[in-house]
Amino acid sequence: MLALISTSKSAYIDSEGFNTTSTLSNDKTTIEQKKDRSRGNEDNALAKSLQLLRIRGSPNLLPEDILKLVNHCRCLRELSMFYSLLSDDLLIALCTEEEINLETLRIEIHSETTPLPVISEKTWTTFADRFPNTHLILLSYITDEEEHKTLFTSRIPVTHLYFGEAPSEFVALRIHNYCPRLVELVISAYGPGLIDDVLINVARGCPRLNSIGLGDCEISCIGLLKFVTICAERLKILYIRETSLIEDLELDVLDVTAKVSSLLGDTWVPEYIPLW
């Protein structure tokens, strides 16, 4: 694993596991290779062994710098970076490199002082065609509704979507339109109002969905039953707090627990959260 934390100073890798050193220069914003002359070994241990590249807090890093490092590390399987570093050019360049075989692209989104980059649907389609089995993990920590609208302007081949902050109703109700390849959805908070329609839309619009995790969200017992009825055959993980379930005249918590267990063919219970 190589983690580029900041470009405020040049970062060096120097260990017995590598016979070269990767230098990230803030002044030139380029990736350079410094050979370890003491070894006199022409083989590049970094390129042969690096599988995870994590880029954090590097606002001055250019897309071409990322691509140079990715090109140098042919064994790279996972790339983790901030959404603000993405661009159409970078994603297209990744797609054109035949030797790159990404298994995971992990993207974090935070509120920025500058507008978030807009990635075209054509670029995302090209990425999905080039890496059909890649896990595209999107972690959103933004709260501004306009930023969410900027992010979800077209279909994105997201497979794992995590909302660390409450998404707006506008975005939540359209997740199934933006992310048809979704496998896992985690929402830390939602409201005011029930999340029933959001989950039912996702169940119908995302045929690969098999994992759901809800935090501070409210869902009616009848809404949960409808959701599970739609996707019971593929549902593997269902994490819902007992305090999130809203009872009605038709179903209480015990009733819906029994019915969901029957649909899943296995015992299911909501998560118990202690009051203290």
Side-chain angles (χ1 to χ4, degrees), residues 3-8 23-26 28-31 53-70 79-82 84-87 90:
L4 303 182
I5 304 300
S6 175
T7 58
S8 59
T23 303
L24 181 62
S25 170
N26 187 42
K28 298 180 181 179
T29 60
T30 59
I31 302 294
L53 172 60
R54 180 174 296 145
I55 304 170
R56 299 176 62 87
S58 304
N60 295 319
L61 190 63
L62 299 177
E64 51 263 37
D65 297 322
I66 301 172
L67 185 62
K68 286 180 182 178
L69 187 53
V70 170
L79 177 59
S80 177
M81 60 192 298
F82 285 152
S84 57
L85 294 173
L86 276 185
S87 68
L90 173 60

Side-chain angles (χ1 to χ4, degrees), residues 110-154:
H110 299 266
S111 294
E112 304 284 349
T113 55
T114 56
L116 292 173
V118 177
I119 308 300
S120 71
E121 184 168 359
K122 181 180 179 180
T123 296
W124 282 128
T125 300
T126 302
F127 182 87
D129 292 341
R130 171 64 176 83
F131 302 107
N133 299 317
T134 294
H135 298 297
L136 179 53
I137 304 172
L138 197 61
L139 303 97
S140 172
Y141 299 99
I142 56 180
T143 57
D144 185 80
E145 183 172 351
E146 292 304 316
E147 286 185 311
H148 268 138
K149 289 182 179 179
T150 300
L151 174 65
F152 294 101
T153 57
S154 62

